[in-house]
Amino acid sequence: MERAFASKVAKRAFYTVCVLFLASYVGTRFFTHIDLALYGYMVGTVVFIGGFLYRFSAWADRPPTKIILKKGLRLLLRKSTPQTAVEHLATYRFIWNRGWYRWTQHILLGWGCILSALVTFPLVFGWMYFTMGDNGTYTVVAMGVDVLKVKADGWIAFLFYNALNITAFMVIAGVCMALYRRLKNMQARAEQNFLYDFLPLYLLLLVSITGLLLTVSNLFLHGFGHPVMSLIHQFLVIVTLIYLPFGKLAHIPFRPMSVFARNYREHYAEQEMKRCKVCQTGFVSAEQSGDVVDVLGENGIRFELAEGFHLAELCLPCRRKYRIFRFTGIPTHYRSEKEANQHAKG
């Protein structure tokens, strides 16, 4: 089988599409419940998967990433993993430290996109659909199995009908907060550019607005303009899916990897800390320091110093002082004075 594929990316993409095909075959009860109106979204999702696998493979094949993934998988059963996963993937506690405004913005954007995906993808691939009974009830079908019956005019059905409308309002609010910050914050204005920082926000905004206009067309305009708006919305969703793996939004599907990195740092820090060769301060785990030296060596980068140790064996303050020494000739890295902003926030 290894000879049947041009690359690892092609093999992973083929296996992933096969799994999706089989899941759709089972979920749609052997392709008897297929919504052809969602065909464009399905094609866009398959293209997105190919792009994501390409981006992920290029990232995962780097020596530093290989170490994190390999050792992170071994540590996945740590007792702290559930808490770390909740903080990094659900509550975004690490963003709360930057301020409530950015935390609220990320909660609205992150959960708006995640909930939209959890609703959209099962519908697109036929893993979930609804059948209408004669007694005014809907039957929720998941993976070909009837799992729930709800009243057509009940509150559960209302949430099903309006799930994407609710998430659209969440995304719009989050995008507006992000745009306001990017236009008002001086640091953000100095660092951002249109394609990387603004384009993904505009895409999310347009997707959400056109999705809401579909609801407006159905409820208040008796379907007027619905076919045209449906095509526009579908086009924007497909463009967003194709763009997603290669732009700033790629950090959304990559975010679970942060749990591996956190486990890696915490586990080896509990075993042994690496002492700075100058000030003797523990700054990283001995394992991480050794991995950094090994990875730099694999890439042919040498930072051995005349004093007999590696630059990676210095803490950040001493490392900066050593760079000053290389320019001035004054051995500032051997002085005990701390930097003026060593404990500053930001």
Side-chain angles (χ1 to χ4, degrees), residues 27 93 303:
R93 183 179 176 183
F303 283 121

Side-chain angles (χ1 to χ4, degrees), residues 162-174:
N162 294 281
L164 291 177
N165 291 329
I166 295 171
T167 57
F169 280 114
M170 293 174 62
V171 171
I172 290 173

Side-chain angles (χ1 to χ4, degrees), residues 171-182:
V171 171
I172 290 173
V175 168
C176 290
M177 293 180 69
L179 288 174
Y180 178 82
R181 176 183 169 273
R182 294 191 179 283

Side-chain angles (χ1 to χ4, degrees), residues 280-296:
Q280 299 302 312
T281 302
F283 62 103
V284 294
S285 66
E287 185 79 12
Q288 183 175 346
S289 177
D291 287 338
V292 170
V293 174
D294 293 340
V295 168
L296 291 174

Side-chain angles (χ1 to χ4, degrees), residues 22 27 35 42 102 123 130 174 229 239 244 257 302 314 316:
L22 292 175
D35 190 349
M42 182 183 297
R102 296 185 70 174
L123 292 175
F130 305 88
M229 188 55 61
V239 170
L244 197 152
M257 300 301 106
R302 305 293 177 184
L314 299 181
L316 287 178

Side-chain angles (χ1 to χ4, degrees), residues 211-227:
L212 289 176
L213 289 177
L214 290 174
T215 301
V216 171
S217 174
N218 285 329
L219 292 181
F220 304 107
L221 303 178
H222 306 289
F224 176 77
H226 187 277

Side-chain angles (χ1 to χ4, degrees), residues 144-165:
V145 179
D146 298 346
V147 296
L148 183 66
K149 290 184 180 293
V150 298
K151 293 182 179 180
D153 56 353
W155 65 273
I156 297 179
F158 176 82
L159 292 177
F160 280 136
Y161 303 152
N162 294 281
L164 291 177
N165 291 329

Side-chain angles (χ1 to χ4, degrees), residues 4 6 54 59 64 103 157 226 231 249 252 254 326 344:
Y54 171 82
W59 175 75
W103 178 83
H226 187 277
L231 287 176
L249 295 178
I252 297 176
F254 274 77
R326 296 294 296 174

